[in-house]
Structure formats: C-alpha cells, structure tokens
Amino acid sequence: MNNFRIKLNSADQVIRFVAICGKFDDDITVYNGSIQIDGKSLLGMMSVDNRRNFNVRIDTSDCELIAKFKNDMYEFIVKEA
C-alpha cells in the first residue's frame, strides 16, 4: 500500500518529514482535505494546520521502495485502533 495516514505534531516533525521525503526520487504527495502538497516542500508543509491527520502517497509501484518509505515514516504514521 503506497497511501497511508500521518500526523505531524510539531515544526520539528515537519522538518524531519520533509528531509525523509527528500531522500526519495519519487513524487510524494500529502493530502490536506482537498489540498495537495508536495511532501518535499518545507514551505508547503509548514503552511498547513498540523493538528490534523494527513494522507500521504508515494507514487511508485516498487514494493521494496514503498516498504522503505513506510519504515522511514514510522514515527508519523497514525496507528489505527
């Protein structure tokens, strides 16, 4: 699955999130309601309300790359109850 939910609780987490996204060549899109944000854009990510959960998608079909991305994003992933 290349689409999952994340929560960024602070500016430091946003900075770490963007840094992680920058390590990947594929497009990473964050969805904030109907707004789409480039996950590699610090300015874009800092401009959204971080009190919400976001959907994030990495645009690849490479299962190993998706697993690596999800592992790198572990601290931000919303654990479903």
Side-chain angles (χ1 to χ4, degrees):
M1 176 169 68
N2 59 349
N3 190 16
F4 48 93
R5 294 178 63 73
I6 62 166
K7 175 111 172 111
L8 303 172
N9 294 312
S10 68
D12 288 337
Q13 282 193 335
V14 172
I15 291 167
R16 284 198 309 275
F17 173 83
V18 171
I20 292 168
C21 289
K23 296 189 298 184
F24 292 85
D25 292 331
D26 302 280
D27 289 336
I28 298 168
T29 307
V30 176
Y31 298 91
N32 180 19
S34 62
I35 299 169
Q36 296 181 22
I37 304 144
D38 179 355
K40 298 176 186 180
S41 169
L42 183 57
L43 183 60
M45 291 303 299
M46 287 291 210
S47 69
V48 296
D49 180 4
N50 67 358
R51 294 173 291 182
R52 299 184 57 187
N53 292 342
F54 304 104
N55 289 321
V56 64
R57 176 182 175 87
I58 182 167
D59 291 323
T60 184
S61 58
D62 182 334
C63 293
E64 289 181 24
L65 191 62
I66 293 168
K68 178 175 178 7
F69 181 69
K70 193 167 185 179
N71 185 58
D72 288 356
M73 291 287 143
Y74 181 79
E75 72 176 291
F76 311 120
I77 294 176
V78 174
K79 284 40 167 197
E80 300 296 331

